[in-house]
Amino acid sequence: FAGMLFYQKIARYFHSLKSIALWLILFGIFLFLADRFGKKEKGLKDLTWTDALIIGLFQALALMPGVSRSGVTITYALLAGFKREVCARYSFLLSIPIIAGAGLFELLKIFSSPQNFLPLPTITVLFFSFISGFFCIKYFLSYLEKKNFDPFVIYRPLLSIFILILWRLK
């Protein structure tokens, strides 16, 4: 819904390499602060309707280039006092309707021009995407039971520097 309302304005004003680098750094800082100072006491059973609504609203910030949907929802959930693995688990659950909706949208585009539809490659890609995504999420959740978000905090400014170098070189 937010994408339908705001995407054109965001695309017009914020889709630049400088903007992407800025949002990467800014939300890397937010993630760092949330991971350090969030209480990390709450479990999934402690999630209230208000928490869910605010996390959902934060998800809309991912319309900004350089803002990760899962990163921004995890950041807010950490600030709200949830455990790391609970934040990640809930964020991944939130992605299901978005991914399903985007997949349905792409499927409708494919069926509107059936000459471009290749069944075997499409099924193969879907299968391997599902398998790799499943194991990636499983590993990530077990990682978060013991470790913090530091690798993601570090990667964001490094990626920003790389993007700014590319922008400078044009």
Side-chain angles (χ1 to χ4, degrees), residues 73-88:
T73 56
I74 288 170
T75 298
Y76 175 77
L78 285 168
L79 287 172
F82 289 91
K83 297 174 188 172
R84 287 183 185 107
E85 65 275 7
V86 171
C87 297

Side-chain angles (χ1 to χ4, degrees), residues 111-127:
F111 286 127
S112 70
S113 60
Q115 69 275 12
N116 295 331
F117 180 64
L118 302 169
L120 186 59
T122 302
I123 292 168
T124 303
V125 166
L126 286 172
F127 174 75

Side-chain angles (χ1 to χ4, degrees), residues 2 73 75-76 90 117-118 120 133 136 147 156 161 165-166:
T73 56
T75 298
Y76 175 77
Y90 188 69
F117 180 64
L118 302 169
L120 186 59
C136 195
K147 309 237 185 207
R156 294 183 68 87
I161 292 167
I165 289 170
L166 288 177

Side-chain angles (χ1 to χ4, degrees), residues 76-142:
Y76 175 77
L78 285 168
L79 287 172
F82 289 91
K83 297 174 188 172
R84 287 183 185 107
E85 65 275 7
V86 171
C87 297
R89 186 177 306 277
Y90 188 69
S91 180
F92 292 138
L93 287 172
L94 276 179
S95 72
I96 293 170
I98 292 168
I99 292 170
L104 181 61
F105 179 74
E106 291 300 320
L107 201 58
L108 291 174
K109 283 190 343 189
I110 288 170
F111 286 127
S112 70
S113 60
Q115 69 275 12
N116 295 331
F117 180 64
L118 302 169
L120 186 59
T122 302
I123 292 168
T124 303
V125 166
L126 286 172
F127 174 75
F128 284 107
S129 295
F130 175 79
I131 297 297
S132 62
F134 175 81
F135 284 108
C136 195
I137 290 170
K138 182 178 166 123
Y139 168 75
F140 185 62
L141 291 175
S142 65

Side-chain angles (χ1 to χ4, degrees), residues 14-169:
F14 295 104
H15 277 213
S16 71
L17 291 177
K18 286 194 308 187
S19 177
I20 292 168
L22 172 70
W23 290 113
L24 279 166
I25 290 172
L26 190 60
F27 277 92
I29 292 168
F30 290 157
L31 178 59
F32 173 78
L33 293 172
D35 197 27
R36 288 299 181 274
F37 299 110
K39 293 185 178 169
K40 295 179 263 328
E41 298 170 341
K42 295 181 185 177
L44 199 53
K45 67 180 180 344
D46 299 312
L47 184 75
T48 65
W49 282 98
T50 304
D51 291 324
L53 178 63
I54 295 171
I55 291 169
L57 291 172
F58 265 75
Q59 187 170 230
L61 292 173
L63 292 169
M64 300 298 292
V67 177
S68 158
R69 188 211 57 80
S70 59
V72 74
T73 56
I74 288 170
T75 298
Y76 175 77
L78 285 168
L79 287 172
F82 289 91
K83 297 174 188 172
R84 287 183 185 107
E85 65 275 7
V86 171
C87 297
R89 186 177 306 277
Y90 188 69
S91 180
F92 292 138
L93 287 172
L94 276 179
S95 72
I96 293 170
I98 292 168
I99 292 170
L104 181 61
F105 179 74
E106 291 300 320
L107 201 58
L108 291 174
K109 283 190 343 189
I110 288 170
F111 286 127
S112 70
S113 60
Q115 69 275 12
N116 295 331
F117 180 64
L118 302 169
L120 186 59
T122 302
I123 292 168
T124 303
V125 166
L126 286 172
F127 174 75
F128 284 107
S129 295
F130 175 79
I131 297 297
S132 62
F134 175 81
F135 284 108
C136 195
I137 290 170
K138 182 178 166 123
Y139 168 75
F140 185 62
L141 291 175
S142 65
Y143 168 86
L144 288 177
E145 289 176 8
K146 303 172 208 85
K147 309 237 185 207
N148 60 26
F149 286 100
D150 283 354
F152 304 97
V153 169
I154 293 167
Y155 128 85
R156 294 183 68 87
L158 290 177
L159 181 57
S160 293
I161 292 167
F162 179 71
I163 288 171
L164 290 172
I165 289 170
L166 288 177
W167 170 76
R168 213 49 197 144
L169 294 174

